[in-house]
Amino acid sequence: EMNYSIEWSDEAETTYIKILFYLEEKWTIREVRNFMARTEEVLSFIDKNPGIYPHSEKQNIHRAVVTSQVSLYYEVHERKIILLSFSDNRQDPDKKF
């Protein structure tokens, strides 16, 4: 079984933090905690089996649905998983990977 290192791109960090701020502003700390826990769960799935989520339109990029509102885009390299971006599923589809 291969061990992967997970790297957060600047874009992934920024978009993740934006979502947390949005949840905190519009919802409650419970939703923030739930989203963080769900993200951790998705990352552990990706770590165990990087191919678990389907490819997006671009062949080497995968899309994991974190919640019904948010997707995570990531790339798989030899021993490394690079988190590219968190994206609001309701946003402009042209922005997607």
Side-chain angles (χ1 to χ4, degrees), residues 55-94:
H55 286 99
S56 70
E57 290 78 52
K58 291 205 176 118
Q59 196 48 43
N60 63 333
I61 295 175
H62 295 262
R63 175 180 177 224
V65 175
V66 181
T67 65
S68 56
Q69 293 85 18
V70 177
S71 291
L72 164 61
Y73 292 89
Y74 66 96
E75 282 179 330
V76 181
H77 297 273
E78 216 152 294
R79 293 191 173 269
K80 196 165 50 175
I81 292 157
I82 300 175
L83 307 183
L84 300 172
S85 182
F86 287 81
S87 172
D88 188 322
N89 294 332
R90 297 160 299 184
Q91 277 176 355
D92 182 4
D94 293 340

Side-chain angles (χ1 to χ4, degrees), residues 6-20 35-36 38-40 42-43 46 64-67 69-74 83-89 91 95-97:
I6 293 181
E7 282 184 22
W8 289 66
S9 67
D10 290 346
E11 172 80 3
E13 282 182 18
T14 304
T15 51
Y16 181 71
I17 290 165
K18 274 187 187 162
I19 290 165
L20 294 180
F35 180 74
M36 290 173 81
R38 176 67 184 137
T39 300
E40 286 301 314
V42 167
L43 292 181
I46 292 169
V65 175
V66 181
T67 65
Q69 293 85 18
V70 177
S71 291
L72 164 61
Y73 292 89
Y74 66 96
L83 307 183
L84 300 172
S85 182
F86 287 81
S87 172
D88 188 322
N89 294 332
Q91 277 176 355
K95 285 181 156 178
K96 298 219 180 9
F97 284 94

Side-chain angles (χ1 to χ4, degrees), residues 37-53:
R38 176 67 184 137
T39 300
E40 286 301 314
E41 185 182 35
V42 167
L43 292 181
S44 75
F45 292 153
I46 292 169
D47 192 32
K48 287 185 189 81
N49 180 2
I52 190 169
Y53 294 104

